[in-house]
Amino acid sequence: MAASFDPADLPTGTLMQLSPLVGRVLAPNPSPFTYTGTQTYVVGMEDVAVIDPGPADPAHLDALLAAIGGRPVRAILCTHTHRDHSPAAAPLSAQTGASIIGCAPLTLDDDGPRADAAFDAAYRPDRVLKDGEQVAGKGWTLEAVATPGHTSNHLCFALIEEAALFTGDHVMGWSTSVVSPPDGDMTAYMASMQRLLDRPDAIYYPAHGEPVENPRRLVRGMMGHRKQREGQIVRFLERNGASEIPDMVTEMYKGVDPRLHSAAGRSVLAHLIDLDGRGIAAATGDGRWQLR
């Protein structure tokens, strides 16, 4: 599920220009689930948009203000409302006067494995973007692309002028995404992946990990990986009959950092719910799952 990482590999608090229109500032929140940290993107030259402002960390907010450098901020956009993505939106808005635009608010009790990924209950957008709606500035245009799955309110943002896509946590540059029920939905995730596969984007800028310069190959690989996991689950249940998720994780994720087993269990559950919806598997009512 994840690669090893060294937080020192990338400097935090520094604007790194990735293209004429795209700059990146890394937040100081590395973890086994965020890799080197959450990447906030500053889009534009004369005026800017800020994508995924990140955690409400004063040092990160100061770094973003320095990266903006007094330029007008036309919009603060959030791909989704996990706590490592959206909490800095409100203080950044207060400092710049920019509107908070993007995904819908979503407040849920999160029983998933990520302490840093509980939902941001304080997120209050000034405007929610629907699929296909746009925000524009001088020389740049961002279009919302609805991609539910990792969360039900997840949006990607397409930068029209550079054929680029900011993929948030839907596609990351270092690991597969956690799909954690009840809000995470594997059926929706796979449909959203297919949607990205059908798009013409030339490069992805994920919220975690390096830019993806061959996005279709990565998306095809990620979809294939999910299908392989599904096949592993079905074969496990064929061999063992009614089984509990931790037993599946122990066999299927050998060699994976045990700290990630809880997250792996959430993804297995998401696959099982998807298999249930397709009439292939079912819960037994005592914490176990079996084939129909």
Side-chain angles (χ1 to χ4, degrees), residues 245-259:
I245 289 174
D247 294 329
M248 301 181 210
V249 170
T250 298
E251 178 175 310
M252 291 164 50
Y253 289 84
K254 290 178 181 176
V256 172
D257 186 337
R259 292 177 297 174

Side-chain angles (χ1 to χ4, degrees), residues 33 114 167-178 206-210 212 218 222:
F33 292 98
R114 290 178 56 178
T167 56
D169 280 2
H170 186 70
V171 175
M172 298 190 291
W174 73 292
S175 168
T176 55
S177 297
V178 173
H208 308 279
E210 289 302 292
V212 177
L218 180 64
M222 286 183 166

Side-chain angles (χ1 to χ4, degrees), residues 48 59 76 105 125 139 174 203 292:
V48 301
I76 301 167
W174 73 292
I203 188 169
R292 290 183 184 272

Side-chain angles (χ1 to χ4, degrees), residues 128-212:
V128 173
L129 288 183
K130 297 179 181 178
D131 183 55
E133 286 192 300
Q134 295 183 342
V135 176
K138 295 179 180 179
W140 56 267
T141 310
L142 290 167
E143 181 176 303
V145 181
T147 47
H150 174 66
T151 61
S152 61
N153 64 344
H154 197 286
L155 294 176
C156 294
F157 298 106
L159 177 58
I160 305 301
E161 288 76 8
E162 293 190 354
L165 189 71
F166 298 91
T167 56
D169 280 2
H170 186 70
V171 175
M172 298 190 291
W174 73 292
S175 168
T176 55
S177 297
V178 173
V179 179
S180 180
D183 187 61
D185 186 303
M186 189 62 69
T187 306
Y189 175 84
M190 291 297 282
S192 294
M193 291 294 275
Q194 183 62 52
R195 183 178 189 195
L196 294 197
L197 190 62
D198 294 337
R199 287 181 52 85
D201 309 295
I203 188 169
Y204 288 174
Y205 294 114
H208 308 279
E210 289 302 292
V212 177

Side-chain angles (χ1 to χ4, degrees), residues 63-89:
L64 291 180
L65 292 171
I68 292 164
R71 291 175 290 178
V73 181
R74 299 303 177 199
I76 301 167
L77 299 110
C78 297
T79 60
H80 63 298
T81 50
H82 276 157
R83 278 207 308 252
D84 59 324
H85 286 259
S86 60

Side-chain angles (χ1 to χ4, degrees), residues 81-83 86-87 105-108 118-125:
T81 50
H82 276 157
R83 278 207 308 252
S86 60
L106 183 64
T107 302
L108 295 174
F119 290 93
D120 175 13
Y123 172 74
R124 295 290 184 273

